[in-house]
Amino acid sequence: MISSDVIRGYNDTMILYMLLDGESYGYEISKNIRRLSEEKYIMKETTLYSAFTRLEKNGYIDSFYLDETFGKRRTYYRITPQGLAYYRAKCEEWQVTQEVINKFIKEL
Amino acid sequence: MISSDVIRGYNDTMILYMLLDGESYGYEISKNIRRLSEEKYIMKETTLYSAFTRLEKNGYIDSFYLDETFGKRRTYYRITPQGLAYYRAKCEEWQVTQEVINKFIKEL
DNA sequence: ATAATTACTACGACAGATGAAGTAGTTTTT
DNA sequence: AAAAACTACTTCATCTGTCGTAGTAATTAT
């Protein structure tokens, strides 16, 4: 299990990745992150939902409802063009980050 | 230049790395981080000195003075065995972190 | 004399992550 | 039929780490 401080700068990026090929909603995204990371990272509910608020405020995602006649109402999210641009920028930044941090890592 | 939120979980690790082959002090460590990262990461003074406090509180570093007859008095730091153990653990964690985050990175 | 560099400290603000708890509906187990 | 588990989300209060601003103090360069 990875400490959250490490991931901190990339929670938003992970969520955006999950929206790249179509709309989704909180619970599903949560499950998918868990599955894709092979249980190595589990995003806390409060972290996830506060990220949605932030991402929407920044214009990186849109939220909407679908009329479903079953279960509790879900809030769906969709990535915006600005969100995609932000995602791309974060991917590039990640390459640099890796290079930098790796200079401070020594196998002992 | 890398945003600090990304590095957040590794500032302490970077500082410990800088102490692996001997004692050093704030200003020198700061310069060395800057140089080693090829100016891609510059740790803020406040971040650096608050990290020292935290690391010492956790027993990962020791602080002491050397009697120098010139300049403003420096606080020197030295890594402890616990600090070394922590550093190693963070290095291993970093490998996992990289693997995980890379699953969410797509070159578009 | 003044500016720049070295070396550190204090303080307050802020963002993001978290724990705890709650709401509300559906499905599965006993 | 009752209880438990799962789906789906929300509110609130707290904590940690980073950062801006500012100040102290000494040395070296212009």
Side-chain angles (χ1 to χ4, degrees):
Chain A
M1 198 77 76
I2 303 170
S3 85
S4 59
D5 256 345
V6 174
I7 297 285
R8 197 182 177 97
Y10 285 91
N11 275 325
D12 290 11
T13 310
M14 286 178 165
I15 294 169
L16 292 175
Y17 173 82
M18 287 306 177
L19 294 171
L20 284 183
D21 35 61
E23 68 207 25
S24 188
Y25 59 94
Y27 198 76
E28 193 178 54
I29 290 172
S30 162
K31 294 280 153 190
N32 286 339
I33 288 175
R34 191 182 174 134
R35 191 176 41 75
L36 184 54
S37 78
E38 290 155 358
E39 310 286 316
K40 292 191 191 93
Y41 184 57
I42 294 161
M43 198 180 290
K44 301 287 184 306
E45 275 178 284
T46 37
T47 302
L48 179 70
Y49 290 106
S50 80
F52 284 142
T53 310
R54 181 172 51 249
L55 285 165
E56 189 165 21
K57 209 184 68 196
N58 292 337
Y60 298 153
I61 56 173
D62 281 333
S63 70
F64 56 98
Y65 297 112
L66 291 180
D67 37 322
E68 293 159 310
T69 45
F70 54 90
K72 204 187 176 189
R73 192 165 73 158
R74 297 164 177 161
T75 309
Y76 282 85
Y77 298 97
R78 159 197 314 129
I79 192 167
T80 64
Q82 300 97 285
L84 186 59
Y86 176 76
Y87 173 77
R88 285 178 175 147
K90 288 301 275 184
C91 287
E92 281 180 43
E93 185 202 57
W94 172 241
Q95 302 307 326
V96 180
T97 302
Q98 273 188 101
E99 277 170 43
V100 169
I101 295 186
N102 277 320
K103 290 178 198 292
F104 297 84
I105 297 296
K106 193 182 267 180
E107 296 311 320
L108 301 154
Chain B
M1 197 78 77
I2 302 173
S3 85
S4 61
D5 253 348
V6 175
I7 298 285
R8 197 181 178 96
Y10 284 90
N11 275 325
D12 290 11
T13 310
M14 286 177 163
I15 294 169
L16 292 175
Y17 173 84
M18 288 306 178
L19 294 171
L20 285 183
D21 35 62
E23 68 207 25
S24 188
Y25 58 94
Y27 199 76
E28 192 177 54
I29 290 172
S30 162
K31 293 281 153 194
N32 286 338
I33 288 175
R34 193 182 173 132
R35 191 176 41 75
L36 184 53
S37 76
E38 288 154 359
E39 311 285 315
K40 292 191 191 91
Y41 183 56
I42 295 158
M43 198 179 291
K44 299 290 182 305
E45 275 178 284
T46 38
T47 302
L48 180 70
Y49 290 105
S50 80
F52 284 142
T53 310
R54 181 172 51 248
L55 285 165
E56 189 165 22
K57 210 184 67 196
N58 292 337
Y60 298 153
I61 57 172
D62 281 335
S63 71
F64 56 98
Y65 297 112
L66 293 179
D67 39 320
E68 294 159 309
T69 46
F70 54 91
K72 203 186 176 187
R73 191 165 73 156
R74 296 166 178 162
T75 308
Y76 282 85
Y77 298 97
R78 158 195 316 127
I79 192 167
T80 64
Q82 300 97 285
L84 185 59
Y86 176 76
Y87 173 77
R88 285 178 175 147
K90 289 301 276 185
C91 286
E92 281 180 44
E93 186 201 56
W94 171 243
Q95 301 307 326
V96 180
T97 302
Q98 274 188 102
E99 278 170 44
V100 169
I101 296 185
N102 277 320
K103 290 178 197 292
F104 296 84
I105 297 296
K106 194 182 266 180
E107 296 313 318
L108 302 157

